[in-house]
Amino acid sequence: MRIMRVEKTLVSTNRIAEMGHRPLLVVQEKEGGTRSVAVDAVGCIPGDWVICVGSSAAREAAGSKDYPSDLTIIGIIDNWAPA
Amino acid sequence: MRIMRVEKTLVSTNRIAEMGHRPLLVVQEKEGGTRSVAVDAVGCIPGDWVICVGSSAAREAAGSKDYPSDLTIIGIIDNWAPA
Amino acid sequence: MRIMRVEKTLVSTNRIAEMGHRPLLVVQEKEGGTRSVAVDAVGCIPGDWVICVGSSAAREAAGSKDYPSDLTIIGIIDNWAPA
Amino acid sequence: MRIMRVEKTLVSTNRIAEMGHRPLLVVQEKEGGTRSVAVDAVGCIPGDWVICVGSSAAREAAGSKDYPSDLTIIGIIDNWAPA
Amino acid sequence: MRIMRVEKTLVSTNRIAEMGHRPLLVVQEKEGGTRSVAVDAVGCIPGDWVICVGSSAAREAAGSKDYPSDLTIIGIIDNWAPA
């Protein structure tokens, strides 16, 4: 799993129906790094350091075997000091 | 999911039948970066910033569990300011 | 999907039986880049720019759900000008 | 599989229920490299060099086909001299 | 599939039972590059240049749908001249 920081919410009005109303968050591994989009399964706020799961595991973690996610937030890290 | 920008349509006359008539788009994470091909599931135009899903989720998002995609556009981002 | 260029055929006499007689091609994203091996599902020749699918989609695209591929050529690009 | 070194335990109080009580460890391929989170399936201690499996194999290796992992420690290397 | 060179055997006494007695080999794409671990399904010796399959295909190639591998050697390349 990857350790990432939540930056903000992402709004996508025009999207496929299968995404439902799950919140989408912009995350990144480090300041200035590539930004990715993750589905929030725990309830995060900007600034949180979180655990993101990818691969096929991201789907069920987002709610169902059919959910279209390849990156899902599955936990908030209690204390994290980035390198 | 990855955040990518739509560059243009890709034409491939000689392709496997399973691809059907789904539009294929050239996308890239940033200007000058590596270009990839994504299946369009929402209806994009060049210049759009979009959400692309990979892994096994890309298949169903493209229409069926058997569709041969590993990168599918599942949403258009309303407002995006690249870093 | 990745955009790659076909370099040449790869010969592997000692291989697992599940690979059958599908042609294996050496491909690369750009001159001098890392070379990968892809299963050819469309009929390419050296110099072609092709669309390669990875992940679990590579398996069925190569002929069956059980085929041992993680990179399969699913289309030849009609016109491609590398960056 | 990737060869990684165990750094420490990771604590995440707020996480999805599917994660259960499996220990989570911070691992990295080399000193100063990106740190990832792996599920421990063998019983490691900080400093161990371990074999980590990713992809869908990480799930069953963590205990069940439904476990939300994309990186699971499946073995401790007896002797390892990093390059 | 990735083109890799076999470096040596890897010994892991403490590992999960699902790994059985399949030989594990240290492989790398180029001298000095990151070293990975692959399951040997063909019978290699150090110095061989081999074809490694990843993703879910690595599992069946290693012997069964349940085998915990994400990188399996499926063929030895007859002649290979690294770039």
Side-chain angles (χ1 to χ4, degrees):
Chain A
M1 281 69 68
R2 294 162 69 190
I3 296 167
M4 306 191 89
R5 190 171 171 279
V6 177
E7 188 188 333
K8 60 177 176 182
T9 298
L10 187 79
V11 181
S12 168
T13 311
N14 187 354
R15 55 180 177 176
I16 63 172
E18 289 81 355
M19 296 182 78
H21 291 296
R22 279 279 188 195
L24 298 175
L25 299 175
V26 178
V27 293
Q28 58 186 170
E29 284 188 323
K30 57 182 171 190
E31 198 102 16
T34 301
R35 291 186 286 178
S36 301
V37 179
V39 173
D40 182 5
V42 286
C44 307
I45 57 172
D48 283 343
W49 282 95
V50 295
I51 305 168
C52 292
V53 76
S55 193
S56 63
R59 309 184 74 180
E60 272 178 88
S64 89
K65 269 184 207 276
D66 300 326
Y67 195 90
S69 173
D70 64 2
L71 195 66
T72 301
I73 300 172
I74 56 172
I76 301 172
I77 303 176
D78 287 16
N79 292 290
W80 187 251
Chain B
M1 281 68 69
R2 294 162 69 189
I3 296 167
M4 306 191 89
R5 189 171 172 279
V6 177
E7 187 188 332
K8 60 177 177 181
T9 298
L10 187 79
V11 181
S12 168
T13 310
N14 186 354
R15 55 180 177 177
I16 63 172
E18 289 81 354
M19 296 182 77
H21 291 296
R22 280 279 188 195
L24 297 177
L25 299 175
V26 179
V27 294
Q28 58 186 170
E29 284 188 323
K30 56 182 172 190
E31 198 101 18
T34 300
R35 291 186 286 178
S36 301
V37 178
V39 174
D40 183 5
V42 286
C44 308
I45 56 172
D48 283 342
W49 282 94
V50 296
I51 305 168
C52 292
V53 76
S55 193
S56 63
R59 310 184 74 180
E60 273 178 88
S64 88
K65 270 184 207 273
D66 300 325
Y67 195 90
S69 173
D70 64 1
L71 195 66
T72 301
I73 299 172
I74 55 172
I76 301 172
I77 304 176
D78 287 16
N79 292 290
W80 187 251
Chain C
M1 280 68 69
R2 295 163 69 189
I3 296 167
M4 306 190 89
R5 190 170 172 278
V6 177
E7 188 188 331
K8 60 176 178 181
T9 298
L10 187 77
V11 181
S12 168
T13 310
N14 187 354
R15 55 180 178 177
I16 61 172
E18 290 81 353
M19 297 182 77
H21 291 295
R22 282 278 188 194
L24 298 176
L25 299 175
V26 178
V27 293
Q28 58 186 167
E29 284 189 323
K30 57 181 171 189
E31 198 102 17
T34 301
R35 293 186 284 179
S36 301
V37 178
V39 174
D40 182 5
V42 286
C44 307
I45 56 172
D48 283 343
W49 282 95
V50 296
I51 306 169
C52 292
V53 75
S55 194
S56 62
R59 310 184 72 181
E60 273 177 87
S64 89
K65 271 184 207 273
D66 299 326
Y67 195 89
S69 173
D70 64 2
L71 195 67
T72 301
I73 300 173
I74 56 172
I76 301 172
I77 304 176
D78 287 17
N79 292 289
W80 187 251
Chain D
M1 281 68 69
R2 295 161 70 189
I3 296 168
M4 306 191 88
R5 188 170 173 280
V6 177
E7 188 188 334
K8 60 176 177 182
T9 298
L10 187 78
V11 181
S12 167
T13 310
N14 186 354
R15 55 181 178 176
I16 63 172
E18 289 82 354
M19 296 182 78
H21 290 295
R22 280 280 189 196
L24 298 176
L25 299 176
V26 178
V27 293
Q28 59 186 169
E29 285 189 322
K30 57 180 170 191
E31 198 102 16
T34 300
R35 292 187 284 178
S36 301
V37 178
V39 173
D40 182 6
V42 286
C44 307
I45 56 172
D48 283 343
W49 282 95
V50 295
I51 306 169
C52 292
V53 75
S55 194
S56 63
R59 309 183 74 180
E60 273 178 88
S64 90
K65 270 184 207 276
D66 300 326
Y67 194 90
S69 173
D70 64 2
L71 194 67
T72 301
I73 299 172
I74 56 172
I76 301 172
I77 304 175
D78 287 16
N79 292 290
W80 187 251
Chain E
M1 280 68 68
R2 296 161 70 189
I3 297 167
M4 306 190 88
R5 189 171 173 279
V6 177
E7 188 189 332
K8 59 176 178 182
T9 299
L10 187 78
V11 180
S12 167
T13 310
N14 187 355
R15 54 181 178 176
I16 62 172
E18 290 81 353
M19 296 182 79
H21 291 295
R22 281 278 188 195
L24 298 176
L25 299 175
V26 178
V27 294
Q28 59 186 169
E29 284 188 322
K30 57 180 170 190
E31 197 101 16
T34 301
R35 292 186 285 178
S36 301
V37 178
V39 174
D40 182 5
V42 286
C44 308
I45 56 171
D48 283 344
W49 282 94
V50 295
I51 306 169
C52 292
V53 75
S55 194
S56 62
R59 309 184 73 181
E60 272 178 87
S64 89
K65 270 185 207 275
D66 299 326
Y67 194 89
S69 174
D70 64 2
L71 194 67
T72 301
I73 299 172
I74 57 173
I76 301 171
I77 304 176
D78 286 17
N79 292 290
W80 186 251

